[in-house]
Amino acid sequence: MSDDPTQVQDFFTARAADWDARFPDDGPAYRAAVAELGLRPGARVLDAGCGTGRALPPLREAVGPTGVVLGADLTPAMLEAARRAGRDRAGQLLLADVERLPLRTGSLDAVFGAGLISHLPRPAEDLRELRRVVRPGGLLALFHPIGRAALAARQGRQITPDDLRAEARLGPLLAGSGWRMTSYVDEDARFLALAVREG
């Protein structure tokens, strides 16, 4: 999968209409990952690269009616699929690129990114942009509903040492972008890396 924004947008535009039908069993994994963030009622959270918004309902449940839930994606067709699924009732949808978020500095308590890291054209810079919009001590969750090996097998490829999601690569990448990785899980049933915003 390319990390070029135009190719990413084309890829997801072609698949938006049936995306949820292709992965109907991911809901529990999303809910479990959101639960591990430990969000409190009233928190402000962004689902970065929200796609069809599958994380928005559990994020809303976590922050309650006084919290703020935003979902940002650069593919209009994915946001439209989120609206058709009614997930815009759980959070405000934004047509936005993670490279340049239309959010104030330090305005969020957390960022959730499902499948995000492999689609970032400039991972270090983009992680710094996510850091910019999160308050000091705020949280980042990089998630995928299946682990690296299972995903590679699904895509008919091998895991390579340069995979950004490998713990040996991801930890330093996060550290260089102002995050401290606090937890890393890569098993068949899920991938979840948690980090705290430094400074």
Side-chain angles (χ1 to χ4, degrees), residues 14 19-20 43 55 81 84 91 94 120 140 147 150 157 177 182 188-189 199:
W19 187 260
D20 288 351
R84 280 195 310 274
L94 306 171
L120 297 178
L140 171 67
R157 61 178 178 79
S177 304
T182 59
D188 282 350

PDB file of all heavy atoms in Angstrom, residues 14 19-20 43 55 81 84 91 94 120 140 147 150 157 177 182 188-189 199:
ATOM      1  N   ALA A  14     -12.168   3.807  -3.808  1.00  0.00           N
ATOM      2  CA  ALA A  14     -12.676   2.641  -4.535  1.00  0.00           C
ATOM      3  C   ALA A  14     -13.272   1.583  -3.604  1.00  0.00           C
ATOM      4  O   ALA A  14     -14.068   0.757  -4.038  1.00  0.00           O
ATOM      5  CB  ALA A  14     -11.544   2.020  -5.363  1.00  0.00           C
ATOM      6  N   TRP A  19     -16.432  -1.198   2.625  1.00  0.00           N
ATOM      7  CA  TRP A  19     -15.337  -1.381   3.581  1.00  0.00           C
ATOM      8  C   TRP A  19     -15.805  -2.125   4.834  1.00  0.00           C
ATOM      9  O   TRP A  19     -15.183  -3.093   5.264  1.00  0.00           O
ATOM     10  CB  TRP A  19     -14.734  -0.036   3.953  1.00  0.00           C
ATOM     11  CG  TRP A  19     -13.497  -0.162   4.787  1.00  0.00           C
ATOM     12  CD1 TRP A  19     -13.389  -0.025   6.140  1.00  0.00           C
ATOM     13  CD2 TRP A  19     -12.186  -0.474   4.310  1.00  0.00           C
ATOM     14  NE1 TRP A  19     -12.089  -0.231   6.538  1.00  0.00           N
ATOM     15  CE2 TRP A  19     -11.325  -0.507   5.433  1.00  0.00           C
ATOM     16  CE3 TRP A  19     -11.651  -0.728   3.052  1.00  0.00           C
ATOM     17  CZ2 TRP A  19      -9.967  -0.779   5.330  1.00  0.00           C
ATOM     18  CZ3 TRP A  19     -10.286  -1.003   2.943  1.00  0.00           C
ATOM     19  CH2 TRP A  19      -9.470  -1.021   4.074  1.00  0.00           C
ATOM     20  N   ASP A  20     -16.885  -1.669   5.434  1.00  0.00           N
ATOM     21  CA  ASP A  20     -17.366  -2.299   6.667  1.00  0.00           C
ATOM     22  C   ASP A  20     -17.806  -3.739   6.429  1.00  0.00           C
ATOM     23  O   ASP A  20     -17.592  -4.608   7.282  1.00  0.00           O
ATOM     24  CB  ASP A  20     -18.531  -1.505   7.270  1.00  0.00           C
ATOM     25  CG  ASP A  20     -18.064  -0.195   7.888  1.00  0.00           C
ATOM     26  OD1 ASP A  20     -16.846   0.028   8.008  1.00  0.00           O
ATOM     27  OD2 ASP A  20     -18.934   0.619   8.240  1.00  0.00           O
ATOM     28  N   ALA A  43     -13.318  14.088  28.013  1.00  0.00           N
ATOM     29  CA  ALA A  43     -12.075  14.187  27.256  1.00  0.00           C
ATOM     30  C   ALA A  43     -12.350  14.581  25.804  1.00  0.00           C
ATOM     31  O   ALA A  43     -13.451  14.402  25.285  1.00  0.00           O
ATOM     32  CB  ALA A  43     -11.308  12.866  27.313  1.00  0.00           C
ATOM     33  N   ALA A  55     -14.309   3.591  14.961  1.00  0.00           N
ATOM     34  CA  ALA A  55     -13.887   3.888  16.336  1.00  0.00           C
ATOM     35  C   ALA A  55     -14.747   4.965  16.995  1.00  0.00           C
ATOM     36  O   ALA A  55     -14.693   5.119  18.217  1.00  0.00           O
ATOM     37  CB  ALA A  55     -12.422   4.335  16.360  1.00  0.00           C
ATOM     38  N   ALA A  81     -19.353   7.249   3.844  1.00  0.00           N
ATOM     39  CA  ALA A  81     -19.728   5.930   4.365  1.00  0.00           C
ATOM     40  C   ALA A  81     -19.957   5.996   5.872  1.00  0.00           C
ATOM     41  O   ALA A  81     -20.864   5.342   6.400  1.00  0.00           O
ATOM     42  CB  ALA A  81     -18.643   4.910   4.027  1.00  0.00           C
ATOM     43  N   ARG A  84     -23.407   7.477   6.283  1.00  0.00           N
ATOM     44  CA  ARG A  84     -24.440   6.493   5.955  1.00  0.00           C
ATOM     45  C   ARG A  84     -24.631   5.484   7.086  1.00  0.00           C
ATOM     46  O   ARG A  84     -25.734   5.013   7.331  1.00  0.00           O
ATOM     47  CB  ARG A  84     -24.105   5.762   4.657  1.00  0.00           C
ATOM     48  CG  ARG A  84     -24.445   6.539   3.396  1.00  0.00           C
ATOM     49  CD  ARG A  84     -24.452   5.662   2.161  1.00  0.00           C
ATOM     50  NE  ARG A  84     -23.252   4.854   2.022  1.00  0.00           N
ATOM     51  CZ  ARG A  84     -22.125   5.255   1.435  1.00  0.00           C
ATOM     52  NH1 ARG A  84     -22.037   6.467   0.930  1.00  0.00           N
ATOM     53  NH2 ARG A  84     -21.089   4.439   1.359  1.00  0.00           N
ATOM     54  N   GLY A  91     -19.593  11.556  16.559  1.00  0.00           N
ATOM     55  CA  GLY A  91     -18.514  12.528  16.517  1.00  0.00           C
ATOM     56  C   GLY A  91     -18.593  13.400  15.282  1.00  0.00           C
ATOM     57  O   GLY A  91     -19.245  13.045  14.301  1.00  0.00           O
ATOM     58  N   LEU A  94     -14.432  15.483   9.924  1.00  0.00           N
ATOM     59  CA  LEU A  94     -13.652  16.539   9.287  1.00  0.00           C
ATOM     60  C   LEU A  94     -12.950  15.983   8.061  1.00  0.00           C
ATOM     61  O   LEU A  94     -12.290  14.932   8.151  1.00  0.00           O
ATOM     62  CB  LEU A  94     -12.578  17.069  10.245  1.00  0.00           C
ATOM     63  CG  LEU A  94     -12.999  17.562  11.615  1.00  0.00           C
ATOM     64  CD1 LEU A  94     -11.768  17.834  12.468  1.00  0.00           C
ATOM     65  CD2 LEU A  94     -13.849  18.803  11.484  1.00  0.00           C
ATOM     66  N   LEU A 120       1.095   7.136   6.336  1.00  0.00           N
ATOM     67  CA  LEU A 120       1.628   8.488   6.525  1.00  0.00           C
ATOM     68  C   LEU A 120       2.783   8.725   5.555  1.00  0.00           C
ATOM     69  O   LEU A 120       3.763   7.974   5.569  1.00  0.00           O
ATOM     70  CB  LEU A 120       2.105   8.677   7.962  1.00  0.00           C
ATOM     71  CG  LEU A 120       1.041   8.563   9.053  1.00  0.00           C
ATOM     72  CD1 LEU A 120       1.667   8.732  10.430  1.00  0.00           C
ATOM     73  CD2 LEU A 120      -0.068   9.578   8.838  1.00  0.00           C
ATOM     74  N   LEU A 140      -1.574   8.768  22.611  1.00  0.00           N
ATOM     75  CA  LEU A 140      -1.673   8.349  21.219  1.00  0.00           C
ATOM     76  C   LEU A 140      -1.826   6.838  21.199  1.00  0.00           C
ATOM     77  O   LEU A 140      -1.086   6.122  21.877  1.00  0.00           O
ATOM     78  CB  LEU A 140      -0.405   8.741  20.449  1.00  0.00           C
ATOM     79  CG  LEU A 140      -0.255   8.181  19.030  1.00  0.00           C
ATOM     80  CD1 LEU A 140      -1.302   8.774  18.089  1.00  0.00           C
ATOM     81  CD2 LEU A 140       1.152   8.451  18.503  1.00  0.00           C
ATOM     82  N   GLY A 147      -2.725  -8.241  13.892  1.00  0.00           N
ATOM     83  CA  GLY A 147      -1.305  -7.959  14.033  1.00  0.00           C
ATOM     84  C   GLY A 147      -0.573  -7.916  12.706  1.00  0.00           C
ATOM     85  O   GLY A 147      -1.124  -8.215  11.645  1.00  0.00           O
ATOM     86  N   ALA A 150      -0.402 -11.338  10.717  1.00  0.00           N
ATOM     87  CA  ALA A 150      -1.699 -11.691  10.140  1.00  0.00           C
ATOM     88  C   ALA A 150      -2.052 -10.767   8.975  1.00  0.00           C
ATOM     89  O   ALA A 150      -2.596 -11.210   7.953  1.00  0.00           O
ATOM     90  CB  ALA A 150      -2.785 -11.627  11.212  1.00  0.00           C
ATOM     91  N   ARG A 157       2.096 -11.075   1.580  1.00  0.00           N
ATOM     92  CA  ARG A 157       3.478 -10.574   1.621  1.00  0.00           C
ATOM     93  C   ARG A 157       4.131 -11.015   2.925  1.00  0.00           C
ATOM     94  O   ARG A 157       3.487 -11.574   3.797  1.00  0.00           O
ATOM     95  CB  ARG A 157       3.507  -9.048   1.490  1.00  0.00           C
ATOM     96  CG  ARG A 157       2.775  -8.322   2.594  1.00  0.00           C
ATOM     97  CD  ARG A 157       2.860  -6.807   2.480  1.00  0.00           C
ATOM     98  NE  ARG A 157       2.106  -6.153   3.531  1.00  0.00           N
ATOM     99  CZ  ARG A 157       2.524  -5.998   4.784  1.00  0.00           C
ATOM    100  NH1 ARG A 157       3.723  -6.435   5.143  1.00  0.00           N
ATOM    101  NH2 ARG A 157       1.761  -5.410   5.683  1.00  0.00           N
ATOM    102  N   SER A 177       9.660  12.047  17.520  1.00  0.00           N
ATOM    103  CA  SER A 177       8.526  12.926  17.191  1.00  0.00           C
ATOM    104  C   SER A 177       7.855  13.494  18.440  1.00  0.00           C
ATOM    105  O   SER A 177       6.778  14.081  18.347  1.00  0.00           O
ATOM    106  CB  SER A 177       7.496  12.151  16.361  1.00  0.00           C
ATOM    107  OG  SER A 177       8.097  11.608  15.206  1.00  0.00           O
ATOM    108  N   THR A 182       4.647   3.635  25.603  1.00  0.00           N
ATOM    109  CA  THR A 182       4.429   3.051  26.926  1.00  0.00           C
ATOM    110  C   THR A 182       3.963   1.610  26.866  1.00  0.00           C
ATOM    111  O   THR A 182       4.033   0.905  27.863  1.00  0.00           O
ATOM    112  CB  THR A 182       3.389   3.868  27.713  1.00  0.00           C
ATOM    113  OG1 THR A 182       2.156   3.894  26.966  1.00  0.00           O
ATOM    114  CG2 THR A 182       3.868   5.302  27.943  1.00  0.00           C
ATOM    115  N   ASP A 188      -1.617 -11.901  16.694  1.00  0.00           N
ATOM    116  CA  ASP A 188      -2.509 -12.132  15.555  1.00  0.00           C
ATOM    117  C   ASP A 188      -3.814 -11.358  15.669  1.00  0.00           C
ATOM    118  O   ASP A 188      -4.323 -10.835  14.677  1.00  0.00           O
ATOM    119  CB  ASP A 188      -2.802 -13.625  15.395  1.00  0.00           C
ATOM    120  CG  ASP A 188      -1.655 -14.367  14.731  1.00  0.00           C
ATOM    121  OD1 ASP A 188      -0.724 -13.698  14.228  1.00  0.00           O
ATOM    122  OD2 ASP A 188      -1.687 -15.601  14.719  1.00  0.00           O
ATOM    123  N   ALA A 189      -4.362 -11.278  16.868  1.00  0.00           N
ATOM    124  CA  ALA A 189      -5.681 -10.671  17.049  1.00  0.00           C
ATOM    125  C   ALA A 189      -5.669  -9.143  17.108  1.00  0.00           C
ATOM    126  O   ALA A 189      -6.733  -8.533  17.036  1.00  0.00           O
ATOM    127  CB  ALA A 189      -6.330 -11.212  18.319  1.00  0.00           C
ATOM    128  N   GLY A 199       6.826  16.492  27.082  1.00  0.00           N
ATOM    129  CA  GLY A 199       6.911  17.958  27.143  1.00  0.00           C
ATOM    130  C   GLY A 199       5.616  18.597  27.409  1.00  0.00           C
ATOM    131  O   GLY A 199       5.244  19.628  26.938  1.00  0.00           O
TER     132      GLY A 199
END
